[in-house]
Amino acid sequence: MTHPDSNVCDEMLLDRYLDGDVDAGERVQMEAHIAACRQCRRQVAALEAFSQNLNDRVQHAVDSVDFVALEKQVLNKALRQYRSRGGLSRFVASLKYIIPATVTAGLLLFFTYSNYVLKPPPVPSAIINSFTGSMSSVMIFETPETRQTILWYTEETDVESEPNAV
Amino acid sequence: MSKTIQNRIVYDKELILRLQRGDEWAFQLMVRRFRTKIFSIAFGITLDTEESQDIMQEVFLQVYRTIGDFRGDASLATWLHRITVNRSLNWKRRWARRFKWLHVSTDSTDGLPAAEPESDLPSPEIRVANAQTRQQIDKALKMLPEQARTIFVLRELEGLAYEEIADAIGIKLGTVRSRLFHARKRLKEILQPLVEEEE
């Protein structure tokens, strides 16, 4: 926005002038105003000096940095990232085989354990006592967990009374 | 469009393609080409040398990680500016919560210079004056609102066009003009006592 009277301070135009965002007519007008206006001249000088000092300030910081070492660090980190990403993707790809295999193995283990380890066949643990006679014999057992007593009675067959016996 | 700009676009496209293919050499080339620019922007916003180095590394590593998602809507430089600005502003917010922003650094690069053995350096008086100027600039920049300072830094340090600043920050062109105007207005107020002191 141009101001027709070059003797009046126009902050917006001054800002655009500082930014180089003015046409030729505005430039001439602004230069004439700055030459005549002490306040605007001081403002332009202060901002231009600040801009220059800011650039020097950053350049000073840039000069204090070892960019070669930083570049090496960045490259090493990127390479590590690439390798770990490669390792991770391989691991993720292998999951489609690992998961079913683990599930199958788990199920097999579960059935084996529950059928053969946790529940042993209900056999008597020990013969507590036994009696053997000429006609029959008796054995007394006890079950391991429920501690029930089993009487095993066996009648002997008379070999002599059964002639067909072998 | 000038031939230089056309060449730059072709060069950028080739560089991006190579980066997307995981070309280590292309990555090194990009780091070398943009390292000073990225550091300067980060430093302009954070005013902290060490943090700016960390931000610079983070920016390149983020580019390396996400280059596959880069669709080419903006130029490579604009994309890098955007990441740098976001990272720098996030850094400042993070540290503002921890009151570091108000802390006066004792680092010789920020404060008064430490004694240095080289004889070809400026005299102690000049070095003290330079250090004071640096402190005044830091103080003035810190007094600017965050967004205004960011735009001012991109304009003054990198010489970015309004459109490029708008793309990098993700705001409208009119907002860039307005914030830049207010940044300069605020700076004039801040610098006023210094100008009067000198006269």
Side-chain angles (χ1 to χ4, degrees), chain A residues 145-159:
Chain A
E145 286 179 4
T146 55
R147 305 190 73 79
Q148 288 174 322
T149 308
I150 300 167
L151 292 174
W152 187 286
Y153 175 79
T154 315
E155 198 173 338
E156 295 288 327
T157 51
D158 190 355
V159 179

Side-chain angles (χ1 to χ4, degrees), chain B residues 185-197:
Chain B
K185 193 176 178 185
R186 181 80 185 102
L187 269 178
K188 277 187 258 178
E189 290 164 9
I190 295 164
L191 297 172
Q192 189 69 28
L194 296 174
V195 174
E196 281 168 4
E197 250 176 48

